[in-house]
Amino acid sequence: LQGYVASVYNLVYANNTASLKIWDQLGFTRAGLISRAGWMRRTDGDGEESVDAVVFWKGLSLISDE
């Protein structure tokens, strides 16, 4: 594993529920929440809104301490 002990996935916007579910199912841990990480178009199409983001990580060791 070239000395790496964990993998961090940059972020997933909190309104992307399908992607959050996939990362959870793959065994990644939610490391934290970045409040108002980005601006996205509102679902009703009326302007933009700030959206939180989740950072994921997963240990790479064969014997996990997670």
Short mmCIF file of all heavy atoms in Angstrom, two decimals:
data_model
loop_
_atom_site.label_atom_id
_atom_site.label_comp_id
_atom_site.label_asym_id
_atom_site.label_seq_id
_atom_site.Cartn_x
_atom_site.Cartn_y
_atom_site.Cartn_z
N LEU A 1 0.81 -1.20 0.00
CA LEU A 1 0.00 0.00 0.00
C LEU A 1 0.85 1.26 0.00
O LEU A 1 0.33 2.34 0.27
CB LEU A 1 -0.95 0.00 1.19
CG LEU A 1 -2.01 -1.10 1.22
CD1 LEU A 1 -2.77 -1.08 2.55
CD2 LEU A 1 -2.96 -0.95 0.08
N GLN A 2 2.12 1.15 -0.28
CA GLN A 2 3.01 2.30 -0.41
C GLN A 2 3.07 3.18 0.83
O GLN A 2 3.32 4.38 0.74
CB GLN A 2 2.59 3.14 -1.62
CG GLN A 2 2.57 2.40 -2.92
CD GLN A 2 3.98 2.04 -3.40
OE1 GLN A 2 4.91 2.82 -3.24
NE2 GLN A 2 4.13 0.86 -3.95
N GLY A 3 2.74 2.67 2.00
CA GLY A 3 2.83 3.44 3.23
C GLY A 3 1.57 4.22 3.57
O GLY A 3 1.51 4.85 4.62
N TYR A 4 0.59 4.21 2.69
CA TYR A 4 -0.66 4.92 2.99
C TYR A 4 -1.48 4.12 4.00
O TYR A 4 -1.55 2.91 3.94
CB TYR A 4 -1.49 5.11 1.72
CG TYR A 4 -0.85 6.04 0.73
CD1 TYR A 4 -0.20 5.55 -0.39
CD2 TYR A 4 -0.89 7.42 0.92
CE1 TYR A 4 0.39 6.40 -1.30
CE2 TYR A 4 -0.30 8.28 0.02
CZ TYR A 4 0.34 7.77 -1.09
OH TYR A 4 0.92 8.61 -1.99
N VAL A 5 -2.07 4.81 4.95
CA VAL A 5 -2.87 4.13 5.97
C VAL A 5 -4.35 4.43 5.86
O VAL A 5 -5.17 3.78 6.48
CB VAL A 5 -2.38 4.49 7.40
CG1 VAL A 5 -0.96 3.98 7.62
CG2 VAL A 5 -2.47 5.97 7.65
N ALA A 6 -4.71 5.43 5.05
CA ALA A 6 -6.13 5.78 4.89
C ALA A 6 -6.33 6.51 3.57
O ALA A 6 -5.40 7.04 2.98
CB ALA A 6 -6.60 6.67 6.04
N SER A 7 -7.57 6.48 3.13
CA SER A 7 -7.96 7.22 1.94
C SER A 7 -9.04 8.22 2.33
O SER A 7 -9.99 7.87 3.03
CB SER A 7 -8.52 6.25 0.89
OG SER A 7 -9.03 6.97 -0.22
N VAL A 8 -8.87 9.46 1.91
CA VAL A 8 -9.87 10.50 2.19
C VAL A 8 -10.51 10.90 0.88
O VAL A 8 -9.80 11.23 -0.09
CB VAL A 8 -9.22 11.73 2.87
CG1 VAL A 8 -10.23 12.85 3.03
CG2 VAL A 8 -8.63 11.34 4.20
N TYR A 9 -11.82 10.85 0.84
CA TYR A 9 -12.54 11.32 -0.33
C TYR A 9 -12.92 12.76 -0.05
O TYR A 9 -13.55 13.06 0.96
CB TYR A 9 -13.77 10.47 -0.61
CG TYR A 9 -14.42 10.84 -1.92
CD1 TYR A 9 -13.82 10.48 -3.12
CD2 TYR A 9 -15.56 11.61 -1.95
CE1 TYR A 9 -14.39 10.86 -4.32
CE2 TYR A 9 -16.13 11.98 -3.15
CZ TYR A 9 -15.54 11.60 -4.33
OH TYR A 9 -16.10 11.98 -5.51
N ASN A 10 -12.54 13.66 -0.93
CA ASN A 10 -12.65 15.09 -0.71
C ASN A 10 -13.99 15.51 -0.11
O ASN A 10 -14.04 15.95 1.02
CB ASN A 10 -12.38 15.84 -2.00
CG ASN A 10 -12.23 17.33 -1.82
OD1 ASN A 10 -11.93 17.78 -0.73
ND2 ASN A 10 -12.45 18.07 -2.86
N LEU A 11 -15.07 15.40 -0.86
CA LEU A 11 -16.37 15.75 -0.28
C LEU A 11 -17.50 15.30 -1.18
O LEU A 11 -17.32 15.06 -2.37
CB LEU A 11 -16.49 17.26 -0.03
CG LEU A 11 -16.34 18.21 -1.22
CD1 LEU A 11 -17.65 18.41 -1.94
CD2 LEU A 11 -15.84 19.55 -0.70
N VAL A 12 -18.64 15.13 -0.56
CA VAL A 12 -19.89 14.84 -1.25
C VAL A 12 -20.91 15.84 -0.73
O VAL A 12 -21.08 15.99 0.48
CB VAL A 12 -20.39 13.40 -0.97
CG1 VAL A 12 -21.73 13.15 -1.61
CG2 VAL A 12 -19.36 12.38 -1.43
N TYR A 13 -21.58 16.54 -1.63
CA TYR A 13 -22.58 17.50 -1.18
C TYR A 13 -23.72 16.78 -0.47
O TYR A 13 -24.16 15.70 -0.90
CB TYR A 13 -23.10 18.34 -2.34
CG TYR A 13 -22.09 19.36 -2.79
CD1 TYR A 13 -21.41 19.23 -3.98
CD2 TYR A 13 -21.78 20.45 -1.97
CE1 TYR A 13 -20.46 20.17 -4.37
CE2 TYR A 13 -20.84 21.39 -2.35
CZ TYR A 13 -20.18 21.23 -3.56
OH TYR A 13 -19.25 22.16 -3.92
N ALA A 14 -24.17 17.36 0.62
CA ALA A 14 -25.16 16.72 1.49
C ALA A 14 -26.50 16.47 0.80
O ALA A 14 -27.26 15.60 1.22
CB ALA A 14 -25.36 17.56 2.75
N ASN A 15 -26.79 17.20 -0.27
CA ASN A 15 -28.05 16.97 -0.97
C ASN A 15 -27.94 15.87 -2.02
O ASN A 15 -28.92 15.51 -2.66
CB ASN A 15 -28.56 18.27 -1.61
CG ASN A 15 -27.61 18.84 -2.65
OD1 ASN A 15 -26.52 18.32 -2.86
ND2 ASN A 15 -28.03 19.92 -3.29
N ASN A 16 -26.76 15.26 -2.17
CA ASN A 16 -26.55 14.16 -3.10
C ASN A 16 -26.73 12.84 -2.35
O ASN A 16 -25.78 12.12 -2.05
CB ASN A 16 -25.16 14.26 -3.73
CG ASN A 16 -24.94 13.27 -4.85
OD1 ASN A 16 -25.70 12.33 -5.02
ND2 ASN A 16 -23.89 13.50 -5.62
N THR A 17 -27.97 12.55 -2.02
CA THR A 17 -28.27 11.40 -1.16
C THR A 17 -27.84 10.07 -1.77
O THR A 17 -27.42 9.17 -1.04
CB THR A 17 -29.76 11.36 -0.80
OG1 THR A 17 -30.53 11.36 -2.01
CG2 THR A 17 -30.15 12.57 0.04
N ALA A 18 -27.92 9.93 -3.09
CA ALA A 18 -27.51 8.68 -3.72
C ALA A 18 -26.00 8.44 -3.52
O ALA A 18 -25.59 7.32 -3.18
CB ALA A 18 -27.85 8.69 -5.21
N SER A 19 -25.19 9.47 -3.71
CA SER A 19 -23.75 9.33 -3.52
C SER A 19 -23.40 9.08 -2.05
O SER A 19 -22.55 8.24 -1.76
CB SER A 19 -23.04 10.59 -4.02
OG SER A 19 -21.64 10.43 -3.93
N LEU A 20 -24.06 9.77 -1.13
CA LEU A 20 -23.83 9.53 0.30
C LEU A 20 -24.10 8.06 0.63
O LEU A 20 -23.32 7.43 1.36
CB LEU A 20 -24.73 10.43 1.14
CG LEU A 20 -24.44 11.92 1.10
CD1 LEU A 20 -25.54 12.69 1.82
CD2 LEU A 20 -23.08 12.23 1.69
N LYS A 21 -25.17 7.52 0.10
CA LYS A 21 -25.54 6.13 0.36
C LYS A 21 -24.47 5.16 -0.16
O LYS A 21 -24.10 4.20 0.51
CB LYS A 21 -26.89 5.83 -0.28
CG LYS A 21 -27.42 4.46 0.01
CD LYS A 21 -28.81 4.28 -0.58
CE LYS A 21 -29.34 2.89 -0.31
NZ LYS A 21 -30.69 2.70 -0.86
N ILE A 22 -23.95 5.44 -1.35
CA ILE A 22 -22.91 4.58 -1.93
C ILE A 22 -21.66 4.57 -1.06
O ILE A 22 -21.11 3.51 -0.75
CB ILE A 22 -22.58 5.02 -3.36
CG1 ILE A 22 -23.74 4.68 -4.30
CG2 ILE A 22 -21.29 4.35 -3.86
CD1 ILE A 22 -23.62 5.30 -5.67
N TRP A 23 -21.17 5.77 -0.66
CA TRP A 23 -19.97 5.84 0.16
C TRP A 23 -20.18 5.13 1.50
O TRP A 23 -19.28 4.45 2.00
CB TRP A 23 -19.53 7.29 0.37
CG TRP A 23 -18.98 7.87 -0.90
CD1 TRP A 23 -19.60 8.74 -1.75
CD2 TRP A 23 -17.71 7.60 -1.48
NE1 TRP A 23 -18.79 9.03 -2.81
CE2 TRP A 23 -17.62 8.34 -2.68
CE3 TRP A 23 -16.62 6.82 -1.11
CZ2 TRP A 23 -16.49 8.32 -3.50
CZ3 TRP A 23 -15.50 6.80 -1.92
CH2 TRP A 23 -15.45 7.53 -3.11
N ASP A 24 -21.37 5.29 2.08
CA ASP A 24 -21.69 4.58 3.33
C ASP A 24 -21.64 3.06 3.10
O ASP A 24 -21.05 2.32 3.89
CB ASP A 24 -23.07 4.97 3.84
CG ASP A 24 -23.12 6.36 4.43
OD1 ASP A 24 -22.08 6.88 4.91
OD2 ASP A 24 -24.22 6.96 4.41
N GLN A 25 -22.24 2.59 2.01
CA GLN A 25 -22.28 1.15 1.72
C GLN A 25 -20.89 0.58 1.43
O GLN A 25 -20.64 -0.59 1.69
CB GLN A 25 -23.22 0.87 0.54
CG GLN A 25 -24.68 1.05 0.89
CD GLN A 25 -25.59 0.89 -0.31
OE1 GLN A 25 -25.17 0.93 -1.47
NE2 GLN A 25 -26.88 0.71 -0.03
N LEU A 26 -20.00 1.41 0.89
CA LEU A 26 -18.63 0.97 0.63
C LEU A 26 -17.77 0.92 1.89
O LEU A 26 -16.61 0.54 1.85
CB LEU A 26 -17.97 1.89 -0.41
CG LEU A 26 -18.50 1.75 -1.83
CD1 LEU A 26 -17.90 2.84 -2.72
CD2 LEU A 26 -18.20 0.37 -2.39
N GLY A 27 -18.35 1.31 3.02
CA GLY A 27 -17.65 1.22 4.30
C GLY A 27 -16.83 2.43 4.67
O GLY A 27 -16.04 2.37 5.61
N PHE A 28 -17.00 3.53 3.94
CA PHE A 28 -16.30 4.76 4.31
C PHE A 28 -16.95 5.37 5.54
O PHE A 28 -18.15 5.19 5.78
CB PHE A 28 -16.32 5.76 3.15
CG PHE A 28 -15.31 5.47 2.08
CD1 PHE A 28 -15.49 4.42 1.20
CD2 PHE A 28 -14.17 6.25 1.96
CE1 PHE A 28 -14.57 4.15 0.21
CE2 PHE A 28 -13.23 5.98 0.97
CZ PHE A 28 -13.43 4.93 0.10
N THR A 29 -16.17 6.07 6.33
CA THR A 29 -16.64 6.74 7.54
C THR A 29 -16.82 8.22 7.26
O THR A 29 -15.98 8.83 6.59
CB THR A 29 -15.61 6.56 8.68
OG1 THR A 29 -15.46 5.17 8.94
CG2 THR A 29 -16.07 7.27 9.94
N ARG A 30 -17.89 8.78 7.76
CA ARG A 30 -18.11 10.22 7.63
C ARG A 30 -17.20 10.94 8.62
O ARG A 30 -17.40 10.88 9.82
CB ARG A 30 -19.57 10.57 7.88
CG ARG A 30 -20.48 9.99 6.81
CD ARG A 30 -21.92 10.39 7.03
NE ARG A 30 -22.77 9.73 6.05
CZ ARG A 30 -23.89 10.25 5.57
NH1 ARG A 30 -24.30 11.42 6.00
NH2 ARG A 30 -24.60 9.59 4.68
N ALA A 31 -16.18 11.59 8.09
CA ALA A 31 -15.17 12.23 8.93
C ALA A 31 -15.61 13.59 9.44
O ALA A 31 -15.16 14.04 10.48
CB ALA A 31 -13.86 12.36 8.17
N GLY A 32 -16.47 14.25 8.70
CA GLY A 32 -16.90 15.57 9.13
C GLY A 32 -17.83 16.22 8.13
O GLY A 32 -18.05 15.73 7.03
N LEU A 33 -18.37 17.35 8.56
CA LEU A 33 -19.30 18.12 7.74
C LEU A 33 -18.71 19.51 7.53
O LEU A 33 -18.27 20.16 8.48
CB LEU A 33 -20.65 18.24 8.46
CG LEU A 33 -21.72 19.02 7.70
CD1 LEU A 33 -22.28 18.17 6.57
CD2 LEU A 33 -22.84 19.43 8.63
N ILE A 34 -18.68 19.94 6.29
CA ILE A 34 -18.24 21.29 5.97
C ILE A 34 -19.50 22.11 5.70
O ILE A 34 -20.21 21.88 4.72
CB ILE A 34 -17.33 21.32 4.73
CG1 ILE A 34 -16.10 20.44 4.98
CG2 ILE A 34 -16.93 22.75 4.40
CD1 ILE A 34 -15.25 20.24 3.75
N SER A 35 -19.77 23.01 6.61
CA SER A 35 -20.98 23.83 6.51
C SER A 35 -20.87 24.80 5.34
O SER A 35 -19.83 25.44 5.15
CB SER A 35 -21.16 24.59 7.83
OG SER A 35 -22.31 25.38 7.77
N ARG A 36 -21.92 24.89 4.56
CA ARG A 36 -22.02 25.81 3.42
C ARG A 36 -20.79 25.72 2.51
O ARG A 36 -20.18 26.72 2.16
CB ARG A 36 -22.24 27.22 3.92
CG ARG A 36 -23.52 27.31 4.75
CD ARG A 36 -23.94 28.69 5.12
NE ARG A 36 -22.87 29.55 5.58
CZ ARG A 36 -22.99 30.43 6.54
NH1 ARG A 36 -24.14 30.57 7.16
NH2 ARG A 36 -22.00 31.20 6.88
N ALA A 37 -20.47 24.50 2.08
CA ALA A 37 -19.27 24.24 1.27
C ALA A 37 -19.36 24.76 -0.15
O ALA A 37 -18.34 25.00 -0.79
CB ALA A 37 -18.98 22.75 1.24
N GLY A 38 -20.56 24.90 -0.67
CA GLY A 38 -20.69 25.35 -2.04
C GLY A 38 -22.07 25.91 -2.33
O GLY A 38 -22.98 25.82 -1.51
N TRP A 39 -22.19 26.51 -3.50
CA TRP A 39 -23.46 27.06 -3.95
C TRP A 39 -24.01 26.21 -5.08
O TRP A 39 -23.28 25.86 -6.00
CB TRP A 39 -23.28 28.50 -4.43
CG TRP A 39 -23.07 29.44 -3.30
CD1 TRP A 39 -21.87 29.80 -2.76
CD2 TRP A 39 -24.07 30.09 -2.54
NE1 TRP A 39 -22.07 30.67 -1.71
CE2 TRP A 39 -23.42 30.87 -1.56
CE3 TRP A 39 -25.46 30.12 -2.60
CZ2 TRP A 39 -24.11 31.63 -0.64
CZ3 TRP A 39 -26.14 30.90 -1.69
CH2 TRP A 39 -25.47 31.64 -0.73
N MET A 40 -25.30 25.87 -5.01
CA MET A 40 -25.94 25.06 -6.04
C MET A 40 -27.30 25.65 -6.37
O MET A 40 -27.94 26.28 -5.53
CB MET A 40 -26.11 23.62 -5.57
CG MET A 40 -24.83 22.93 -5.20
SD MET A 40 -25.12 21.21 -4.83
CE MET A 40 -24.05 20.49 -6.04
N ARG A 41 -27.72 25.37 -7.60
CA ARG A 41 -29.04 25.81 -8.02
C ARG A 41 -30.09 25.10 -7.17
O ARG A 41 -29.99 23.92 -6.90
CB ARG A 41 -29.28 25.50 -9.49
CG ARG A 41 -30.64 25.96 -9.98
CD ARG A 41 -30.75 25.99 -11.47
NE ARG A 41 -29.83 26.92 -12.11
CZ ARG A 41 -30.02 28.24 -12.18
NH1 ARG A 41 -31.07 28.78 -11.63
NH2 ARG A 41 -29.14 28.99 -12.79
N ARG A 42 -31.08 25.85 -6.74
CA ARG A 42 -32.17 25.28 -5.94
C ARG A 42 -32.97 24.29 -6.79
O ARG A 42 -33.07 24.44 -8.00
CB ARG A 42 -33.08 26.38 -5.43
CG ARG A 42 -32.40 27.30 -4.43
CD ARG A 42 -33.27 28.50 -4.11
NE ARG A 42 -34.63 28.12 -3.78
CZ ARG A 42 -35.11 28.03 -2.53
NH1 ARG A 42 -34.33 28.34 -1.53
NH2 ARG A 42 -36.36 27.69 -2.32
N THR A 43 -33.55 23.29 -6.15
CA THR A 43 -34.33 22.28 -6.87
C THR A 43 -35.56 22.89 -7.55
O THR A 43 -36.01 22.37 -8.57
CB THR A 43 -34.76 21.13 -5.94
OG1 THR A 43 -35.47 21.68 -4.83
CG2 THR A 43 -33.56 20.35 -5.46
N ASP A 44 -36.07 23.98 -7.01
CA ASP A 44 -37.22 24.63 -7.64
C ASP A 44 -36.79 25.58 -8.76
O ASP A 44 -37.63 26.21 -9.42
CB ASP A 44 -38.07 25.37 -6.61
CG ASP A 44 -37.34 26.50 -5.91
OD1 ASP A 44 -36.21 26.86 -6.33
OD2 ASP A 44 -37.89 27.04 -4.94
N GLY A 45 -35.45 25.67 -9.01
CA GLY A 45 -34.94 26.50 -10.09
C GLY A 45 -34.91 27.98 -9.78
O GLY A 45 -34.53 28.79 -10.63
N ASP A 46 -35.30 28.35 -8.58
CA ASP A 46 -35.38 29.77 -8.21
C ASP A 46 -34.12 30.21 -7.48
O ASP A 46 -34.09 30.26 -6.24
CB ASP A 46 -36.63 30.00 -7.35
CG ASP A 46 -36.87 31.48 -7.07
OD1 ASP A 46 -36.39 32.32 -7.84
OD2 ASP A 46 -37.57 31.76 -6.08
N GLY A 47 -33.05 30.48 -8.22
CA GLY A 47 -31.82 30.96 -7.61
C GLY A 47 -30.92 29.84 -7.11
O GLY A 47 -31.03 28.69 -7.54
N GLU A 48 -30.02 30.20 -6.20
CA GLU A 48 -29.05 29.27 -5.64
C GLU A 48 -29.15 29.25 -4.12
O GLU A 48 -29.71 30.15 -3.52
CB GLU A 48 -27.63 29.66 -6.05
CG GLU A 48 -27.39 29.56 -7.55
CD GLU A 48 -25.98 29.96 -7.92
OE1 GLU A 48 -25.37 30.78 -7.19
OE2 GLU A 48 -25.49 29.47 -8.93
N GLU A 49 -28.57 28.21 -3.55
CA GLU A 49 -28.53 28.09 -2.08
C GLU A 49 -27.20 27.45 -1.68
O GLU A 49 -26.58 26.73 -2.46
CB GLU A 49 -29.69 27.25 -1.57
CG GLU A 49 -29.68 25.81 -2.06
CD GLU A 49 -30.91 25.03 -1.64
OE1 GLU A 49 -31.63 25.50 -0.76
OE2 GLU A 49 -31.13 23.95 -2.20
N SER A 50 -26.77 27.74 -0.46
CA SER A 50 -25.54 27.10 0.03
C SER A 50 -25.87 25.68 0.46
O SER A 50 -26.96 25.40 0.96
CB SER A 50 -24.94 27.90 1.19
OG SER A 50 -25.83 27.91 2.29
N VAL A 51 -24.91 24.79 0.24
CA VAL A 51 -25.11 23.37 0.53
C VAL A 51 -23.93 22.87 1.36
O VAL A 51 -22.77 23.18 1.06
CB VAL A 51 -25.22 22.56 -0.77
CG1 VAL A 51 -25.43 21.08 -0.48
CG2 VAL A 51 -26.35 23.09 -1.65
N ASP A 52 -24.22 22.09 2.40
CA ASP A 52 -23.19 21.46 3.22
C ASP A 52 -22.54 20.32 2.43
O ASP A 52 -23.10 19.83 1.45
CB ASP A 52 -23.78 20.90 4.50
CG ASP A 52 -24.37 21.96 5.41
OD1 ASP A 52 -24.06 23.16 5.22
OD2 ASP A 52 -25.17 21.60 6.29
N ALA A 53 -21.37 19.89 2.88
CA ALA A 53 -20.68 18.76 2.26
C ALA A 53 -20.13 17.83 3.33
O ALA A 53 -19.78 18.26 4.42
CB ALA A 53 -19.56 19.24 1.35
N VAL A 54 -20.06 16.55 3.00
CA VAL A 54 -19.56 15.52 3.90
C VAL A 54 -18.20 15.04 3.37
O VAL A 54 -18.04 14.82 2.17
CB VAL A 54 -20.54 14.32 3.96
CG1 VAL A 54 -20.00 13.22 4.86
CG2 VAL A 54 -21.91 14.79 4.43
N VAL A 55 -17.23 14.90 4.27
CA VAL A 55 -15.92 14.35 3.94
C VAL A 55 -15.90 12.90 4.42
O VAL A 55 -16.31 12.60 5.55
CB VAL A 55 -14.78 15.14 4.63
CG1 VAL A 55 -13.43 14.51 4.35
CG2 VAL A 55 -14.81 16.59 4.17
N PHE A 56 -15.45 11.99 3.56
CA PHE A 56 -15.38 10.57 3.89
C PHE A 56 -13.93 10.11 3.97
O PHE A 56 -13.06 10.63 3.28
CB PHE A 56 -16.07 9.74 2.79
CG PHE A 56 -17.56 9.80 2.82
CD1 PHE A 56 -18.24 10.74 2.09
CD2 PHE A 56 -18.29 8.89 3.57
CE1 PHE A 56 -19.62 10.79 2.09
CE2 PHE A 56 -19.67 8.92 3.59
CZ PHE A 56 -20.34 9.88 2.84
N TRP A 57 -13.69 9.08 4.78
CA TRP A 57 -12.37 8.45 4.84
C TRP A 57 -12.54 6.96 5.11
O TRP A 57 -13.59 6.50 5.56
CB TRP A 57 -11.48 9.09 5.91
CG TRP A 57 -11.74 8.59 7.30
CD1 TRP A 57 -12.74 8.99 8.12
CD2 TRP A 57 -11.02 7.58 7.99
NE1 TRP A 57 -12.68 8.30 9.30
CE2 TRP A 57 -11.63 7.42 9.24
CE3 TRP A 57 -9.93 6.79 7.67
CZ2 TRP A 57 -11.17 6.50 10.18
CZ3 TRP A 57 -9.48 5.89 8.62
CH2 TRP A 57 -10.08 5.76 9.85
N LYS A 58 -11.48 6.21 4.79
CA LYS A 58 -11.49 4.77 5.08
C LYS A 58 -10.06 4.32 5.31
O LYS A 58 -9.16 4.63 4.52
CB LYS A 58 -12.09 3.98 3.91
CG LYS A 58 -12.24 2.50 4.21
CD LYS A 58 -13.02 1.81 3.13
CE LYS A 58 -13.27 0.35 3.53
NZ LYS A 58 -14.13 -0.32 2.59
N GLY A 59 -9.86 3.57 6.39
CA GLY A 59 -8.54 3.00 6.67
C GLY A 59 -8.20 1.94 5.64
O GLY A 59 -9.06 1.22 5.16
N LEU A 60 -6.92 1.83 5.29
CA LEU A 60 -6.47 0.88 4.28
C LEU A 60 -5.75 -0.33 4.85
O LEU A 60 -5.38 -1.21 4.09
CB LEU A 60 -5.56 1.60 3.28
CG LEU A 60 -6.19 2.75 2.51
CD1 LEU A 60 -5.14 3.45 1.66
CD2 LEU A 60 -7.34 2.27 1.66
N SER A 61 -5.54 -0.38 6.15
CA SER A 61 -4.80 -1.50 6.72
C SER A 61 -5.63 -2.78 6.67
O SER A 61 -6.86 -2.75 6.68
CB SER A 61 -4.41 -1.20 8.16
OG SER A 61 -5.56 -1.06 8.96
N LEU A 62 -4.93 -3.92 6.60
CA LEU A 62 -5.62 -5.21 6.56
C LEU A 62 -6.30 -5.50 7.89
O LEU A 62 -7.34 -6.13 7.95
CB LEU A 62 -4.64 -6.32 6.20
CG LEU A 62 -4.02 -6.21 4.80
CD1 LEU A 62 -3.01 -7.31 4.58
CD2 LEU A 62 -5.11 -6.24 3.74
N ILE A 63 -5.68 -5.05 8.97
CA ILE A 63 -6.28 -5.16 10.31
C ILE A 63 -6.70 -3.76 10.69
O ILE A 63 -5.88 -2.93 11.04
CB ILE A 63 -5.31 -5.75 11.34
CG1 ILE A 63 -4.84 -7.12 10.90
CG2 ILE A 63 -5.94 -5.81 12.72
CD1 ILE A 63 -3.75 -7.72 11.75
N SER A 64 -7.96 -3.50 10.61
CA SER A 64 -8.46 -2.13 10.75
C SER A 64 -8.67 -1.75 12.20
O SER A 64 -9.14 -2.54 13.01
CB SER A 64 -9.79 -1.99 9.99
OG SER A 64 -10.30 -0.73 10.17
N ASP A 65 -8.32 -0.50 12.52
CA ASP A 65 -8.57 0.06 13.84
C ASP A 65 -9.79 0.97 13.83
O ASP A 65 -10.00 1.73 14.75
CB ASP A 65 -7.35 0.85 14.32
CG ASP A 65 -6.16 -0.02 14.55
OD1 ASP A 65 -6.34 -1.20 14.91
OD2 ASP A 65 -5.04 0.48 14.40
N GLU A 66 -10.54 0.94 12.76
CA GLU A 66 -11.68 1.84 12.62
C GLU A 66 -12.65 1.53 13.71
O GLU A 66 -13.55 1.95 14.11
CB GLU A 66 -12.33 1.69 11.26
CG GLU A 66 -11.39 1.95 10.14
CD GLU A 66 -12.02 1.65 8.78
OE1 GLU A 66 -13.19 1.31 8.71
OE2 GLU A 66 -11.29 1.77 7.81
#
